[in-house]
């Protein structure tokens, strides 16, 4: 024991074992009201755990239910949604006559937004989310709703999302008409380590083509259904800049009859407790 520590109080941090007790100690004045025993000074600030993209699936159909599997995911770290994973369910449709009530029919989903862009070809877009329970769902169903044209669905699954508040801030939305050049709305995340998720759809007169993925989107997924293009991707956020603007996707063959809809949301990371601060008096 160094002589200069004797008769002093030190504040020390530890995490999971006493071997970490002397990590970053620093001297502090003795508090006469505290007995000569280790005394808790409260928990260390939690740090975010890195969100992980588990994987995705997509599909399309005519006037029939789309059933998207949660046990054959691709493009991420796993194939199956597990307990506490967050599933984002995206439902997209081009309507010629009406505004459809979009979204999954599987129970337990919370809808973040249900958008429609009014034009000759109306872009209908719904985005919902659900936290998987102890027995995770094996699929997500999207009803056909008696649609006259094809509808599309995408599911995205994330791990290490905050178990208390999954959605970091209120989602932002945007729609446009007379074009299918979608412009995703900006958003201001709150929690470093959050992930921004961008979702959009574009109506198309004719064949729907696959498009180049714009940077810096990651884990991009696109679904080409009859008359509508649906796409999504994510951007990890480290704390700056204060506002994130997802990139604009290239458009399909454009027309003044076309329209688009877009939603931007933010997932909050799970927090890890790093330990507790204690105060100890050095006797000898």
């Amino acid at each position: 024991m160094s002589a200069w520590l004797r008769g002093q109080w030190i504040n020390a941090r530890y995490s999971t074992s006493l071997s970490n007790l002397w990590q970053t100690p620093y001297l502090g004045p003795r508090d006469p009201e505290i007995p000569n025993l280790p005394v808790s000074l409260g928990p260390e600030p939690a740090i975010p755990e890195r969100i992980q993209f588990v994987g995705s699936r997509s599909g399309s159909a005519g006037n029939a239910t789309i059933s998207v599997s949660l046990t054959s995911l691709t493009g991420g770290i796993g194939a199956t949604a597990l307990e506490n994973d967050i599933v984002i369910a995206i439902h997209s449709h081009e309507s010629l006559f009406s505004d459809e009530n979009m979204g999954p029919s599987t129970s337990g989903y919370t809808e973040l937004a249900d958008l429609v862009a009014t034009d000759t070809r109306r872009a209908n877009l719904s985005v919902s989310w659900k936290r998987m329970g102890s027995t995770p769902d094996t699929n997500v169903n999207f009803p056909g709703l008696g649609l006259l044209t094809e509808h599309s669905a995408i599911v995205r699954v994330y791990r290490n999302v905050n178990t208390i508040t999954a959605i970091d801030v209120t989602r932002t939305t945007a729609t446009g008409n007379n074009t299918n050049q979608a412009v995703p709305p900006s958003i201001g995340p709150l929690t470093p380590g959050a992930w921004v998720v961008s979702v959009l759809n574009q109506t198309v007169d004719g064949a729907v083509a696959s498009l180049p993925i714009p940077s810096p989107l990651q884990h991009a997924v696109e679904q080409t259904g009859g008359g509508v293009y649906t796409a999504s991707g994510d951007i990890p956020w480290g704390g700056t800049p204060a506002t994130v603007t997802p990139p604009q996707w290239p458009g399909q063959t454009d027309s003044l009859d076309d329209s688009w809809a877009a939603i931007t949301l933010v997932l909050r990371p799970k927090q890890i407790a790093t330990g507790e601060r204690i105060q100890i008096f050095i006797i000898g």
Side-chain angles (χ1 to χ4, degrees):
M1 179 68 64
S2 300
W4 63 274
L5 283 177
R6 294 192 186 103
Q8 299 286 334
W9 282 90
I10 69 166
N11 294 327
R13 299 179 175 88
Y14 75 95
S15 54
T16 57
S17 68
L18 288 179
S19 63
N20 294 322
L21 179 63
W22 303 107
Q23 179 182 0
T24 60
Y26 58 94
L27 290 174
R30 178 175 177 174
D31 187 341
E33 300 299 323
I34 301 178
N36 294 349
L37 294 172
V39 176
S40 172
L41 298 179
E44 281 286 280
I47 60 174
E49 187 168 356
R50 178 175 172 79
I51 293 176
Q52 295 178 306
F53 180 68
V54 180
S56 65
R57 295 289 293 182
S58 64
S60 62
N63 184 14
T65 295
I66 303 171
S67 185
V68 183
S69 173
L70 295 177
T71 60
S72 57
L73 304 170
T74 62
I77 64 167
T80 303
L82 303 179
E83 183 177 5
N84 283 326
D85 285 353
I86 295 297
V87 178
I88 297 176
I90 302 162
H91 197 192
S92 176
H93 171 58
E94 176 199 83
S95 171
L96 300 178
F97 306 107
S98 61
D99 303 338
E100 308 295 348
N101 183 19
M102 310 291 290
S105 58
T106 303
S107 64
Y109 279 84
T110 299
E111 190 170 60
L112 293 173
D114 188 354
L115 305 179
V116 60
T118 302
D119 209 312
T120 303
R121 286 183 285 274
R122 304 178 181 212
N124 284 259
L125 178 64
S126 168
V127 176
S128 305
W129 72 277
K130 179 181 178 179
R131 186 187 309 281
M132 293 293 100
S134 56
T135 304
D137 297 339
T138 57
N139 54 60
V140 187
N141 294 322
F142 300 84
L145 302 173
L147 303 176
L148 298 179
T149 57
E150 195 167 14
H151 63 128
S152 298
I154 296 174
V155 297
R156 304 178 62 89
V157 181
Y158 292 89
R159 191 159 295 161
N160 297 335
V161 177
N162 194 286
T163 54
I164 298 175
T165 305
I167 307 301
D168 194 47
V169 295
T170 302
R171 88 291 181 271
T172 56
T173 64
T175 59
N177 55 15
N178 297 329
T179 179
N180 60 24
Q181 310 293 304
V183 182
S186 300
I187 200 164
L190 288 178
T191 309
W195 280 29
V196 175
V197 182
S198 176
V199 181
L200 60 86
N201 72 350
Q202 307 170 343
T203 67
V204 185
D205 182 16
V208 182
S210 179
L211 296 173
I213 306 302
S215 178
L217 282 180
Q218 301 179 359
H219 311 118
V221 182
E222 56 181 0
Q223 177 64 42
T224 55
V228 64
Y229 174 85
T230 312
S232 62
D234 52 49
I235 305 171
W237 186 71
T240 57
T243 301
V244 177
T245 302
Q248 182 175 353
W249 287 65
Q252 304 281 336
T253 301
D254 206 1
S255 165
L256 292 177
D257 293 331
D258 284 320
S259 61
W260 59 269
I263 300 169
T264 306
L265 62 107
V266 182
L267 297 175
R268 179 176 295 181
K270 183 168 66 175
Q271 302 294 305
I272 306 172
T274 56
E276 189 175 24
R277 296 175 295 139
I278 60 175
Q279 193 174 53
I280 301 172
F281 184 65
I282 306 301
I283 297 173

